[in-house]
């Protein structure tokens, strides 16, 4: 039995990766994820916007009262050993890269072209094996077109890929009109991988205070359906390494993503709920599933249920709410035999 897979040109012992989360924000957390069996680890996302805010807040505190008396500055001791938040994060990544044996993938989110390229170069210098671009922007200008939004995204990817030599993956949200076309454009811009999908916080209204409050509920296995569908549609159709993200609770979800065509599967919420040791459970469960279905390797099942290998792709391509409900309630209707959209894994 071999679980080996290749993702972003990196050879991994198995396809299960610990995604970016608070668990991978510290050196100790990264070591725990490695010890639990992660094939690769995505470091906690470095957000340029947060870094800028932290640096501006520190500068504001440092100058309070500075003009009140010529000797005020002499009362403040020098900040010996102080590193700004960006430098501290990069140092953590550098130490982790030196101390763990599995590939580190740096997650990055920036707001400016200079931020994207500068931080990507710093993370590469720290020793990461790849970079994952956490792309997110909410367009609010009615004059801005979808074409312009995608063009800006592609320019960002092109600039980052030109500034580093390690492979770059793009983690996209699900709100693009033509994902397959965009995936090809990303490959032309230099990206080597695509992660489906990014999850963003969704603000809710607090009725007592009449204010918006940020919320982000951890994913459950029900969240697998949208990325699973697009994984099956993209696999075999784009020249990119594919990572799946969302809804990975048990080994069953890992197997589903692999059947749909994923090269690797990223998990976050399950690890936050159950701890890093859940990785051992996922790897063991995947091994048992493969053995129980007569497969000798991950490569043997990958993409067996991708769209281009199915005889009938109706359930992937059409909106059939009524038919789906009828299929879920066979006791209430007499239905004719329908095309079998299932495909054997071998």
């Amino acid at each position: 039995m071999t679980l080996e897979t290749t993702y972003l040109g990196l050879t991994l012992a198995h396809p299960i990766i610990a995604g970016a989360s608070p668990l991978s924000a510290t050196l100790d957390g990264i070591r725990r994820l490695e010890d639990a069996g992660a094939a690769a680890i995505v470091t906690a996302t470095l957000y340029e916007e947060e870094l800028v805010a932290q640096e501006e807040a520190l500068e504001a505190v440092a100058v309070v009262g500075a003009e009140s008396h010529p000797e005020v500055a002499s009362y403040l001791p020098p900040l010996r050993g102080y590193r700004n938040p960006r430098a501290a994060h990069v140092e953590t990544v550098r130490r982790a890269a030196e101390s763990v044996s599995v590939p580190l993938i740096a997650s990055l989110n920036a707001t400016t072209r200079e931020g994207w390229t500068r931080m990507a170069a710093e993370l590469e210098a720290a020793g990461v094996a790849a970079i994952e671009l956490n792309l997110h922007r909410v367009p609010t200008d009615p004059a801005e077109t979808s074409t312009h939004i995608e063009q800006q995204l592609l320019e960002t990817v092109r600039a980052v890929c030109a500034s580093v030599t390690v492979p770059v993956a793009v983690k996209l949200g699900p709100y693009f009109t033509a994902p397959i076309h965009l995936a090809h454009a990303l490959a032309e811009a230099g990206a080597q991988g695509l992660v489906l999908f990014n999850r963003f916080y969704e603000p809710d209204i607090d009725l007592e205070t009449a204010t918006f409050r940020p919320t982000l509920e951890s994913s459950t296995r029900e969240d697998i359906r949208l990325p699973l569908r697009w994984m099956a549609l993209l696999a075999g159709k784009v020249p990119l390494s594919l990572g799946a993200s969302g809804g990975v609770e048990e080994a069953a979800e890992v197997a589903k993503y692999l059947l749909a065509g994923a090269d690797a599967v990223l998990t976050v919420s399950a690890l936050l709920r159950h701890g890093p040791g859940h990785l051992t459970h996922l790897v063991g469960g995947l091994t048992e599933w493969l053995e129980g279905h007569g497969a000798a390797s991950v490569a043997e099942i990958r993409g067996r249920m991708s769209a281009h290998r199915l005889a009938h792709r109706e359930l992937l391509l059409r909106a059939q709410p009524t038919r789906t409900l009828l299929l879920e309630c066979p006791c209430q209707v007499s239905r004719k035999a329908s095309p079998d959209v299932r495909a054997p894994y071998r």
Side-chain angles (χ1 to χ4, degrees), residues 137-160:
R137 188 171 71 85
V138 179
T140 58
D141 184 351
E144 188 174 32
T145 67
S146 58
T147 300
H148 180 255
I149 292 169
E150 293 186 9
Q151 187 58 42
Q152 285 190 320
L153 184 154
L154 293 171
E155 289 174 0
T156 295
V157 173
R158 192 174 293 109
V160 173

Side-chain angles (χ1 to χ4, degrees), residues 128-195:
V128 299
I131 292 175
E132 180 181 280
L133 302 185
N134 195 314
L135 293 167
H136 173 54
R137 188 171 71 85
V138 179
T140 58
D141 184 351
E144 188 174 32
T145 67
S146 58
T147 300
H148 180 255
I149 292 169
E150 293 186 9
Q151 187 58 42
Q152 285 190 320
L153 184 154
L154 293 171
E155 289 174 0
T156 295
V157 173
R158 192 174 293 109
V160 173
C161 291
S163 67
V164 298
T165 59
V166 295
V168 172
V170 177
K171 191 172 187 180
L172 285 181
Y175 310 119
F176 288 93
T177 303
I180 297 179
H181 174 80
L182 180 57
H184 278 275
L186 288 170
E188 292 176 1
Q192 291 182 241
L194 187 63
V195 181

Side-chain angles (χ1 to χ4, degrees), residues 49-63 85:
E49 188 175 16
E50 291 183 359
L51 297 179
V52 171
Q54 292 172 6
E55 291 173 1
E56 289 178 347
L58 181 63
E59 291 177 2
V61 170
V63 300

Side-chain angles (χ1 to χ4, degrees), residues 287-345:
T287 302
E288 292 179 5
W289 189 91
L290 290 170
E291 291 175 343
H293 290 77
S297 68
V298 163
E300 191 174 328
I301 69 163
R302 184 185 294 110
R304 291 290 182 178
M305 295 191 68
S306 57
H308 73 288
R309 301 180 72 169
L310 294 178
H312 303 282
R313 300 183 295 166
E314 285 83 357
L315 287 182
L316 292 175
L317 300 176
R318 296 179 182 173
Q320 301 169 313
T322 302
R323 181 168 181 255
T324 300
L325 288 174
L326 293 177
L327 290 172
E328 290 293 331
C329 305
C331 59
Q332 298 180 20
V333 64
S334 176
R335 68 179 191 275
K336 297 180 180 180
S338 59
D340 188 356
V341 298
R342 296 171 296 174
Y345 72 89

